[in-house]
Amino acid sequence: MQQPWSSNAGLRTHLIAGAVAGALAALAAPVAVWAGEQAAPAAADNLVSGPGDTEASRARTCIYSVINLGPEAGAAALLNERGQAAFGSFIGGGITNGFFDGDRVHDIGSLGGSYTLIHGLNKLGVVVGESEDAEQFSNILAFAWTVGGGMHALPGTTVSSARAINDRNQIVGQRPAPGIAARAVRWNPGGAVMPLGPLPLSLSEADAINQQGFSAGYADVAGGAIHAMLWDRAGNQTDLGTLGGTLAFGEHINERNEVAGESDNAANDKVLGFFWSRDSGMVQINVEGGGSRLIAGLNNRGEVVGDTVIGERSVAYQWAMGRGVVQLPSGSAVSSDVFDINNRSEMVGMIERPAGDGGGRRAVRWPALTEPIDLNAHLYRPPAGLVLEAGAAINDDGVILAHSNAGLVMLRPGTRGTDAPVLGPLLGLPDVIEVGQDLALTVGFVDNAAAQTHTASVAWTDQCASPAPTVSEARGVGQVRLRHQFCAAGYYTVKAQVTDSGGRSTAVQRDIVVDASGLASLSGKGTLAGGGAAAARGFRDLPLHFALWAPLASGTQSKAAAGSPVVMLSGPFHFRSDQVSTAASSGQQARVEGTGLLNGRAGYRFALEAWDGGKQGAGPDRLHVRVTHADAATGVEAVDYDNAAPAKARTALALDRTAVAEGGLRLRN
């Protein structure tokens, strides 16, 4: 089972999540969140020059220092122009979020409930998103967070979400309005709330905002279609329409008030990219696909990047008006993907090398429409075993966020990172771990202060006894050795931490599935490429992250000790099981049912049907996910999510939305 990096490209701009319907309640009092933190507006025509104009642009390809951030970037990876980052993780059976201020990481926390999702970050270090509060019947509320002020709920009720923020501390998103599930709004500094556009038919949401206060998103219109929308600084709405279909979403906006997003075609059987400007109107970008990075980014030069499908290959592209679509060079790679573009036309992403060239994913940077640069070849003193797998974000100064086998890292141009130790991955973990197996792991580290000494600690969530880790080091380079035997089957986490003599610490973490001889089980971790049918209109087809382990009923299984079953789903929503009632296998398939919390709220049922592609000998692993609840008025089962429900065909790659795109499943009979 592969440890996946995320396909949820949160980056400097965010992806759209759907509006969630909820009960209407009284408005909260306005909250002044960022008093005295105003930023000067950016001029609309303050566009930077293109790539290759300066020696500094070329020099940034030379070398990067490495800074560990989070255990993995499953929830979000956001980067601002000051080189600060906000990030989230699904590792360890829950969602955790952090903010890196350029030197240290701070915990973002929650409004008192069980989870927080982050969506936006500005140059002032303000993070926005949605979080569960501590009320008995919890609310999911939009929030703003700073290092000094902590987290504050934005004015709103029941179910609201802050989706993006500019450097003026203007925030856009959605909150309920009388008679409808959600209405696009802008929260201004000081707490004033401005509705965007007229009242929609049933929902609208703003998902991106530029420095002038113009924002982009979507709203439904008479007849039920959903159109991409643009709102100006006064909240006036421009209907951008669709490419002939019934769904279109504005996802990105630049400083020229140009918008990029996705739309169904006239036959409603494909999702296509689009670009809109006042002069051109909505222009079709001749790419198609069903993943979340069909449109990954838009810069101030009007260049769009994303991931499309050619045949059965995933291919990174760049588009510009007058030039059209250009496939980004990838040499002999079997696939490529781009995550972000800055205003110098520098792009980051990944290529997947063929088996004959070593195989595996490698994080790359395209300086422009030229051959990609493998970022792994440009690291200053990397720790042992570190592999960068995908570039996630890049700012105009060339700072990069990257997914790696040691979690999310920042690549800072030059040889000076921070004073904290830099850790590599946990090495020595086999793909399959058995109860009682003697594990011998190592973690390499480096430190820019060669005279410092280091200590190490380790936490194994199975609570089984293990010897203390040992450290060997010389001249700022060291290794931690760990030993452990798991005493029960289950889904666990190991976290190793290295602390230097100056008091700075860094940790790396991995989720681990442990099996037992004779114990039938289903386990897995990864990403499903497509979203699913939902009760709430506007629910987007976003990747769904899953992590699960459950012992299965079998007449031959042993009495081996086992931990509690775990089912966790995140992406368009967050779901965690609280009880598993059925877990059984039949041949090459398994079924797991039970109850859990959807976005922190109890009363939901889930059913998983899993197919282990390896056991079947052909095709990908597959996971059918269905989440439901009983309607309060009728008692009839209402579907909240079903990724096998009938849906429009959206290219061959996304026809089977149960297919596991990254990671995998393992069925043990």
Side-chain angles (χ1 to χ4, degrees), residues 200-201 220-225 227:
L201 183 69
D220 57 2
V221 297
H227 288 190

Side-chain angles (χ1 to χ4, degrees), residues 528 530-533 544-548 567-570 573 575 591-592 605-611 622-628 639-645 657-660 665:
L528 303 176
L544 181 71
H545 307 278
F546 66 89
L548 62 95
V567 174
M568 192 178 74
L569 311 166
S570 297
F573 55 86
F575 181 89
R591 183 175 180 85
V592 179
R605 296 195 57 82
F606 74 91
L608 307 179
E609 293 180 345
W611 294 262
R622 290 180 170 84
L623 185 65
H624 175 197
V625 178
R626 181 179 171 89
V627 179
T628 63
V639 177
D640 299 278
Y641 183 88
D642 188 341
N643 68 329
R657 296 179 300 164
T658 65
V660 177
L665 293 164

Side-chain angles (χ1 to χ4, degrees), residues 176-209:
I180 63 171
R183 183 176 187 179
V185 297
R186 187 176 78 215
W187 289 274
N188 291 316
V193 182
M194 173 186 289
L196 298 178
L199 192 69
L201 183 69
S202 64
L203 66 89
S204 61
E205 182 173 278
D207 292 289
I209 185 169

Side-chain angles (χ1 to χ4, degrees), residues 80-168:
N80 68 16
E81 294 304 325
R82 291 174 59 190
Q84 299 172 325
F87 53 90
S89 171
F90 297 123
I91 205 165
I95 297 179
T96 58
N97 300 280
F99 171 74
F100 176 68
D101 65 7
D103 184 52
R104 297 175 184 269
V105 172
H106 306 264
D107 181 35
I108 290 178
S110 75
L111 289 173
S114 64
Y115 86 102
T116 294
L117 292 177
I118 61 174
H119 299 302
L121 168 68
N122 72 2
K123 193 174 181 179
L124 300 175
V126 183
V127 181
V128 299
E130 62 198 65
S131 182
E132 182 189 16
D133 67 15
E135 296 297 319
Q136 180 180 2
F137 300 102
S138 60
N139 303 299
I140 310 300
L141 301 176
F143 74 84
W145 178 96
T146 62
V147 172
M151 184 178 292
H152 300 269
L154 300 176
T157 60
T158 314
V159 179
S160 60
S161 179
R163 306 298 304 172
I165 181 171
N166 65 14
D167 293 339
R168 294 177 170 180

Side-chain angles (χ1 to χ4, degrees), residues 1-5 72 91 361 389 429-433 490-492 510-515 521-527 546-550 612 614 621 623 660 662-667:
M1 182 177 65
Q2 179 181 334
Q3 186 79 5
W5 47 263
E72 71 169 356
I91 205 165
R361 299 182 174 107
E389 298 172 334
L429 276 173
D431 292 334
V432 179
I433 299 174
Y491 191 95
Y492 302 111
R510 280 282 299 274
D511 285 347
I512 297 173
V513 173
V514 180
D515 289 321
S521 62
L522 172 67
S523 60
K525 184 179 181 185
T527 303
F546 66 89
L548 62 95
W549 180 85
D612 186 332
D621 296 344
L623 185 65
V660 177
E662 295 163 5
L665 293 164
R666 184 165 182 262
L667 176 58

